Amino acid sequence: MSLKDQIEDVLHNVFGYKSFRNQQKDIIESVIGGRDVLTVIPTGGGKSLCYQIPAVVLSGTALVISPLISLMKDQVDQLLVNGIPAAFLNATQSGTEQQYIIQQYLNHSIKLLYISPERLAVSSFLSMIEQHPPSLIAIDEAHCISQWGHDFRPEYRQLNHLSMRFPKVPIIALTATADKMTQQDILHQLNLVDPLVVVRSFDRPNIRYTVVEKFNLTEQVVSFIETQKGNSGIVYCSSRSKVEDMTTRLVARGFSAMAYHAGLSPNERQMAQESFLKDNTQIIVATVAFGMGINKPNVRFVVHADCPRSIEAYYQETGRAGRDGVPAEAILLFNNKDLNWYQQQIAEKYDNEQKQVEQHKIEAMESFAQCMTCRRIVLLNYFGEHRTEPCNNCDICLYPPEQYDGLIDAQKVLSCVYRVEQRYGAQYIIDILRGSGRSQIKENGHHKLSVYGIGKEHSSDYWHSVIRQLIFLGYLHQNISTFVTLQLTENARPILKGEVSLKLAKPRLEIVKKSRLNRYARAINLTTILSYEERILFNNLKRLRKQIADMDDIPPYIVFSDATLLEMVQTMPDSKKQLINVSGVGKIKLEKYGDLFLDEITDFTLKNR
């Protein structure tokens, strides 16, 4: 069998896919041919196949470097279900277990061995693989090696010696998130030799991006999740205390939710993650400690209760939704306070190139959140993928901001900032405009100002929205060094004098009203894809999948993904010959589960004739 035929055979019969995508074939052939590769493919784009297929085809065992124990186990479980012998080494295993796995490596009885980067610092292990080189070396989450990446990990730096120690072993570095600076740093740090560099589109067209002004966090999160009807999702918060608080609030409102953060014990984190992966828990509320490399394909929504500190982090975290290609939601609840803490952290650092880069990343994230143009255009342009056509699948495209003559509102705000001598923050300005009885205002004599109470017809949230837009448009500046006080810029002068017109976007405060929630963040569900009868069959197949997964003690998506079940529903196979043509059904899974799913489809057909 030719190499081409071998690759196609593994793709079809082992993994159950009908065709390659995202230059997978070029990457696979290059690795098998001994060439180094850097692969930047978005989450859900099929990165794992780029090293898993070569590992199956090549003799010997591939070494896969992965940053998380949970990810290793998840990948190994999926490979085993597909009939591919694989294992992982980590510190949770006993000495006897580790020795057994190392012996499997030496005997070539496994095709892939997953390890952490720290494992390469163990001299005995390094010596062993030098004497018995792997068939290939795959470095997952490769952006971790770059100080310009959003998740730099010092332990990844030691990987820079691999190309010298194993000059005849192909190295493939893989990541979903790397701008041009990070890509160049990965190549430099790993010393890749004449590498094939494949950077695919960063676009995830199945994800709908929505940014909403944050003003009543719990109600906003609850209102959105209520529309999700049991879909799996992640809610990200910026701190452990916020995670705990949000989890408590969601559980009190009747949701199936668990917390995940670095302050929990390893057993508690593992329990939460496994419960989520096995669809026993609907929602994980987490810090960024959760999710890197999470393979769960049926995450239908990601909610950011706090703004990430970079577009890279936002892209990677939202990318955990919709890995199966089925529509998914990314909701960002944003206000400027989210980024102030990051700004203060950076302000305390010495002036250097990294400080400038971090500052740029925060400013880019702020611009994305506050933009009034297509979210996807802004996101893709950041990664150097220039688009001009709107995506029609973000809040800005679906519901363009309604604009109004904002000159008077702007003058009220700017005049107030001027009259308090540019010494106070946004909330104090708003309290003056709304005529607050706050004691500090009276003590300062600011209740006597002409601007006192001139904005009382609008809510505090309304004025926060106006102030944010004035900051974004360059009429106000937030001075971090003086406790985030508001200061006028030169551009504010013609506004104050009324010499120019000014259009502002009407604040989108109605998001809190459940009746209007779907205008901005419509729940993604199967109603738009399947008929009523098809949804019944889909739920029956999901129930069967869950029963099988529970018996085998694996996550349901390892049996079959939602996308595979959807294709079964839409094609209604009535034989194994037809079922094998469904994407995601390989020979091993066909023999293992085929009859069960065909029986379920047949029973449904007979009942609905």
Side-chain angles (χ1 to χ4, degrees):
M1 186 183 295
S2 67
L3 175 61
K4 180 181 178 181
D5 290 339
Q6 277 185 284
I7 293 171
E8 295 281 350
D9 181 67
V10 173
L11 177 73
H12 300 325
N13 294 320
V14 177
F15 291 99
Y17 297 117
K18 308 312 164 197
S19 61
F20 289 108
R21 54 189 175 135
N22 290 326
Q23 282 186 259
Q24 286 173 322
K25 192 173 183 181
D26 294 339
I27 297 166
I28 290 164
E29 289 178 347
S30 294
V31 173
I32 292 174
R35 187 178 180 185
D36 292 345
V37 178
L38 169 61
T39 299
V40 184
I41 295 177
T43 303
K47 290 189 301 297
S48 298
L49 285 183
C50 294
Y51 64 82
Q52 289 174 347
I53 289 180
V56 173
V57 172
L58 292 169
S59 60
T61 303
L63 206 59
V64 184
I65 299 166
S66 178
L68 295 177
I69 292 173
S70 56
L71 174 57
M72 296 180 198
K73 182 180 185 304
D74 195 34
Q75 293 269 21
V76 168
D77 284 344
Q78 291 196 48
L79 289 166
L80 293 175
V81 168
N82 280 312
I84 301 170
F88 58 83
L89 275 175
N90 64 53
T92 67
Q93 297 163 320
S94 67
T96 302
E97 288 175 311
Q98 293 187 39
Q99 193 55 48
Y100 173 71
I101 292 166
I102 288 172
Q103 197 58 49
Q104 284 185 302
Y105 174 88
L106 295 173
N107 295 338
H108 302 315
S109 55
I110 53 176
K111 297 302 294 181
L112 297 101
L113 175 61
Y114 286 76
I115 64 169
S116 68
E118 291 87 349
R119 176 69 55 173
L120 292 172
V122 178
S123 58
S124 58
F125 180 82
L126 187 57
S127 176
M128 183 267 292
I129 62 171
E130 283 183 322
Q131 294 176 40
H132 305 274
S135 59
L136 66 92
I137 298 173
I139 302 172
D140 205 4
E141 307 294 349
H143 60 271
C144 293
I145 200 171
S146 172
Q147 62 178 322
W148 310 128
H150 67 283
D151 194 28
F152 171 59
R153 300 192 177 200
E155 60 270 21
Y156 261 66
R157 284 294 202 195
Q158 65 190 340
L159 304 182
N160 61 4
H161 63 75
L162 291 176
S163 61
M164 293 178 284
R165 289 179 181 270
F166 302 96
K168 296 182 179 180
V169 176
I171 296 174
I172 175 170
L174 310 101
T175 178
T177 317
D179 58 16
K180 289 186 177 180
M181 182 184 294
T182 304
Q183 292 167 28
Q184 290 302 314
D185 202 28
I186 292 171
L187 293 171
H188 173 70
Q189 294 296 332
L190 291 177
N191 299 303
L192 300 186
V193 179
D194 184 31
L196 170 68
V197 179
V198 175
V199 181
R200 299 302 297 163
S201 172
F202 285 88
D203 193 9
R204 296 285 306 282
N206 62 312
I207 297 178
R208 176 177 300 151
Y209 298 104
T210 301
V211 180
V212 179
E213 293 196 33
K214 178 167 60 177
F215 55 89
N216 192 339
L217 180 59
T218 300
E219 290 305 316
Q220 287 175 293
V221 173
V222 166
S223 294
F224 173 72
I225 294 176
E226 282 178 344
T227 70
Q228 290 295 315
K229 298 181 181 179
N231 288 336
S232 292
I234 305 171
V235 178
Y236 281 111
C237 301
S238 61
S239 68
R240 300 176 189 180
S241 60
K242 288 182 178 180
V243 166
E244 294 289 351
D245 181 63
M246 179 61 73
T247 305
T248 300
R249 290 173 183 268
L250 291 180
V251 171
R253 299 291 281 268
F255 294 104
S256 170
M258 294 184 74
Y260 187 105
H261 58 72
L264 299 173
S265 70
N267 286 339
E268 288 173 318
R269 293 198 301 273
Q270 183 177 357
M271 184 172 66
Q273 181 159 312
E274 287 190 4
S275 182
F276 181 63
L277 293 178
K278 293 180 178 179
D279 289 346
N280 295 326
T281 296
Q282 177 196 359
I283 301 160
I284 283 288
V285 185
T287 58
V288 293
F290 179 82
M292 178 184 284
I294 288 300
N295 248 9
K296 184 178 171 68
N298 64 330
V299 175
R300 296 269 68 85
F301 64 89
V302 169
V303 176
H304 279 95
D306 298 303
C307 189
R309 67 189 305 158
S310 70
I311 286 183
E312 289 94 336
Y314 172 78
Y315 178 81
Q316 187 176 62
E317 288 155 19
T318 56
R320 287 158 194 158
R323 291 173 58 102
D324 52 12
V326 177
E329 289 273 11
I331 308 294
L332 169 60
L333 296 159
F334 174 81
N335 64 32
N336 278 4
K337 291 180 183 178
D338 292 338
L339 297 175
N340 289 342
W341 184 65
Y342 301 142
Q343 297 273 20
Q344 289 168 347
Q345 281 186 313
I346 293 174
E348 294 169 2
K349 292 185 176 181
Y350 294 109
D351 286 326
N352 55 37
E353 189 178 4
Q354 186 170 1
K355 177 177 178 177
Q356 294 173 12
V357 170
E358 289 182 23
Q359 183 67 43
H360 164 70
K361 289 181 183 293
I362 290 177
E363 290 171 356
M365 187 68 229
E366 184 176 24
S367 295
F368 169 81
Q370 295 183 332
C371 74
M372 290 297 169
T373 56
C374 170
R375 306 282 181 198
R376 204 174 307 269
I377 287 177
V378 176
L379 193 63
L380 296 178
N381 283 346
Y382 176 83
F383 287 110
E385 185 177 335
H386 301 295
R387 297 273 186 96
T388 56
E389 290 297 315
C391 72
N392 297 318
N393 195 28
C394 72
D395 57 325
I396 298 296
C397 288
L398 293 171
Y399 312 104
E402 185 179 351
Q403 295 197 322
Y404 75 107
D405 184 351
L407 181 62
I408 301 299
D409 281 349
Q411 287 175 327
K412 289 177 180 179
V413 171
L414 298 176
S415 179
C416 187
V417 171
Y418 175 76
R419 293 176 189 280
V420 298
E421 300 175 333
Q422 306 179 75
R423 294 172 54 199
Y424 297 90
Q427 189 59 57
Y428 189 84
I429 298 299
I430 291 168
D431 287 344
I432 293 175
L433 292 173
R434 298 190 69 239
S436 168
R438 185 174 169 180
S439 59
Q440 186 183 7
I441 291 176
K442 292 184 177 179
E443 290 170 4
N444 292 333
H446 291 155
H447 62 296
K448 299 177 183 179
L449 295 174
S450 60
V451 291
Y452 182 76
I454 63 172
K456 60 185 176 184
E457 74 275 16
H458 294 306
S459 68
S460 177
D461 298 314
Y462 179 95
W463 287 114
H464 268 297
S465 176
V466 172
I467 289 173
R468 288 185 198 115
Q469 291 185 65
L470 293 177
I471 293 170
F472 179 58
L473 293 170
Y475 302 119
L476 282 175
H477 169 68
Q478 284 183 303
N479 192 330
I480 299 171
S481 65
T482 55
F483 304 101
V484 202
T485 58
L486 291 176
Q487 298 175 352
L488 302 175
T489 68
E490 277 299 314
N491 295 334
R493 190 182 302 275
I495 298 293
L496 281 168
K497 291 184 175 182
E499 296 173 348
V500 294
S501 61
L502 178 64
K503 292 290 185 182
L504 295 178
K506 281 190 175 180
R508 289 179 159 180
L509 305 181
E510 61 266 40
I511 185 68
V512 75
K513 300 176 183 177
K514 293 182 183 180
S515 62
R516 297 192 180 184
L517 176 67
N518 286 351
R519 284 193 60 202
Y520 300 101
R522 294 179 297 175
I524 296 295
N525 57 54
L526 299 174
T527 305
T528 59
I529 302 172
L530 304 176
S531 67
Y532 173 75
E533 290 78 13
E534 287 173 331
R535 291 202 303 277
I536 294 174
L537 176 57
F538 180 78
N539 288 329
N540 291 347
L541 295 180
K542 282 181 69 175
R543 195 177 304 112
L544 171 62
R545 179 181 67 178
K546 185 73 167 72
Q547 291 170 355
I548 295 170
D550 287 347
M551 285 190 295
D552 291 348
D553 193 28
I554 57 176
Y557 62 82
I558 289 182
V559 178
F560 290 123
S561 70
D562 279 6
T564 299
L565 297 188
L566 279 172
E567 191 173 334
M568 288 184 194
V569 170
Q570 292 168 328
T571 59
M572 298 291 285
D574 59 12
S575 66
K576 284 189 175 180
K577 187 176 180 180
Q578 292 182 358
L579 187 58
I580 191 67
N581 290 321
V582 173
S583 182
V585 181
K587 283 187 175 180
I588 298 294
K589 287 187 177 182
L590 181 70
E591 293 306 314
K592 206 169 185 179
Y593 310 126
D595 288 334
L596 295 171
F597 282 86
L598 287 171
D599 288 347
E600 189 70 41
I601 294 169
T602 301
D603 288 347
F604 176 82
T605 303
L606 292 173
K607 289 176 183 177
N608 288 273
R609 276 181 175 173

mmCIF file of all heavy atoms in Angstrom, residues 122-132:
data_model
loop_
_atom_site.group_PDB
_atom_site.id
_atom_site.type_symbol
_atom_site.label_atom_id
_atom_site.label_comp_id
_atom_site.label_asym_id
_atom_site.label_seq_id
_atom_site.Cartn_x
_atom_site.Cartn_y
_atom_site.Cartn_z
ATOM 1 N N VAL A 122 13.715 15.213 33.523
ATOM 2 C CA VAL A 122 14.155 14.022 34.267
ATOM 3 C C VAL A 122 15.253 13.344 33.457
ATOM 4 O O VAL A 122 15.006 12.844 32.347
ATOM 5 C CB VAL A 122 12.963 13.061 34.502
ATOM 6 C CG1 VAL A 122 13.438 11.809 35.244
ATOM 7 C CG2 VAL A 122 11.859 13.763 35.273
ATOM 8 N N SER A 123 16.444 13.343 33.984
ATOM 9 C CA SER A 123 17.614 12.877 33.212
ATOM 10 C C SER A 123 17.481 11.423 32.759
ATOM 11 O O SER A 123 17.868 11.081 31.634
ATOM 12 C CB SER A 123 18.887 13.051 34.032
ATOM 13 O OG SER A 123 18.795 12.342 35.259
ATOM 14 N N SER A 124 16.909 10.579 33.611
ATOM 15 C CA SER A 124 16.787 9.161 33.239
ATOM 16 C C SER A 124 15.841 8.988 32.054
ATOM 17 O O SER A 124 16.078 8.167 31.170
ATOM 18 C CB SER A 124 16.285 8.334 34.427
ATOM 19 O OG SER A 124 15.031 8.818 34.883
ATOM 20 N N PHE A 125 14.770 9.784 32.040
ATOM 21 C CA PHE A 125 13.817 9.682 30.924
ATOM 22 C C PHE A 125 14.445 10.223 29.641
ATOM 23 O O PHE A 125 14.332 9.617 28.575
ATOM 24 C CB PHE A 125 12.536 10.465 31.241
ATOM 25 C CG PHE A 125 11.506 10.398 30.145
ATOM 26 C CD1 PHE A 125 10.665 9.307 30.034
ATOM 27 C CD2 PHE A 125 11.402 11.417 29.199
ATOM 28 C CE1 PHE A 125 9.726 9.221 29.006
ATOM 29 C CE2 PHE A 125 10.464 11.350 28.185
ATOM 30 C CZ PHE A 125 9.623 10.239 28.083
ATOM 31 N N LEU A 126 15.121 11.357 29.759
ATOM 32 C CA LEU A 126 15.765 11.951 28.590
ATOM 33 C C LEU A 126 16.815 11.014 28.007
ATOM 34 O O LEU A 126 16.928 10.851 26.786
ATOM 35 C CB LEU A 126 16.388 13.297 28.961
ATOM 36 C CG LEU A 126 16.964 14.139 27.821
ATOM 37 C CD1 LEU A 126 15.894 14.428 26.766
ATOM 38 C CD2 LEU A 126 17.526 15.448 28.368
ATOM 39 N N SER A 127 17.572 10.381 28.891
ATOM 40 C CA SER A 127 18.597 9.432 28.439
ATOM 41 C C SER A 127 17.958 8.248 27.718
ATOM 42 O O SER A 127 18.472 7.776 26.690
ATOM 43 C CB SER A 127 19.413 8.935 29.639
ATOM 44 O OG SER A 127 20.335 7.951 29.257
ATOM 45 N N MET A 128 16.814 7.797 28.249
ATOM 46 C CA MET A 128 16.124 6.652 27.651
ATOM 47 C C MET A 128 15.650 6.965 26.233
ATOM 48 O O MET A 128 15.851 6.167 25.317
ATOM 49 C CB MET A 128 14.934 6.254 28.539
ATOM 50 C CG MET A 128 14.187 5.013 28.049
ATOM 51 S SD MET A 128 12.776 5.404 26.957
ATOM 52 C CE MET A 128 11.655 6.193 28.093
ATOM 53 N N ILE A 129 15.029 8.144 26.040
ATOM 54 C CA ILE A 129 14.515 8.442 24.695
ATOM 55 C C ILE A 129 15.649 8.812 23.731
ATOM 56 O O ILE A 129 15.501 8.680 22.518
ATOM 57 C CB ILE A 129 13.438 9.546 24.720
ATOM 58 C CG1 ILE A 129 13.990 10.875 25.243
ATOM 59 C CG2 ILE A 129 12.214 9.097 25.496
ATOM 60 C CD1 ILE A 129 13.018 12.027 25.088
ATOM 61 N N GLU A 130 16.795 9.251 24.264
ATOM 62 C CA GLU A 130 17.949 9.488 23.381
ATOM 63 C C GLU A 130 18.475 8.165 22.827
ATOM 64 O O GLU A 130 18.893 8.081 21.677
ATOM 65 C CB GLU A 130 19.050 10.226 24.134
ATOM 66 C CG GLU A 130 18.771 11.708 24.310
ATOM 67 C CD GLU A 130 19.919 12.435 24.999
ATOM 68 O OE1 GLU A 130 20.529 11.860 25.911
ATOM 69 O OE2 GLU A 130 20.185 13.580 24.611
ATOM 70 N N GLN A 131 18.409 7.130 23.654
ATOM 71 C CA GLN A 131 18.850 5.813 23.203
ATOM 72 C C GLN A 131 17.803 5.140 22.327
ATOM 73 O O GLN A 131 18.126 4.311 21.477
ATOM 74 C CB GLN A 131 19.150 4.921 24.418
ATOM 75 C CG GLN A 131 20.330 5.401 25.241
ATOM 76 C CD GLN A 131 20.545 4.555 26.491
ATOM 77 O OE1 GLN A 131 20.419 3.329 26.449
ATOM 78 N NE2 GLN A 131 20.859 5.202 27.612
ATOM 79 N N HIS A 132 16.540 5.511 22.526
ATOM 80 C CA HIS A 132 15.432 4.935 21.755
ATOM 81 C C HIS A 132 14.556 6.083 21.245
ATOM 82 O O HIS A 132 13.491 6.364 21.797
ATOM 83 C CB HIS A 132 14.602 3.983 22.627
ATOM 84 C CG HIS A 132 15.401 2.895 23.266
ATOM 85 N ND1 HIS A 132 15.678 1.698 22.637
ATOM 86 C CD2 HIS A 132 16.022 2.835 24.484
ATOM 87 C CE1 HIS A 132 16.415 0.943 23.434
ATOM 88 N NE2 HIS A 132 16.637 1.596 24.556
#
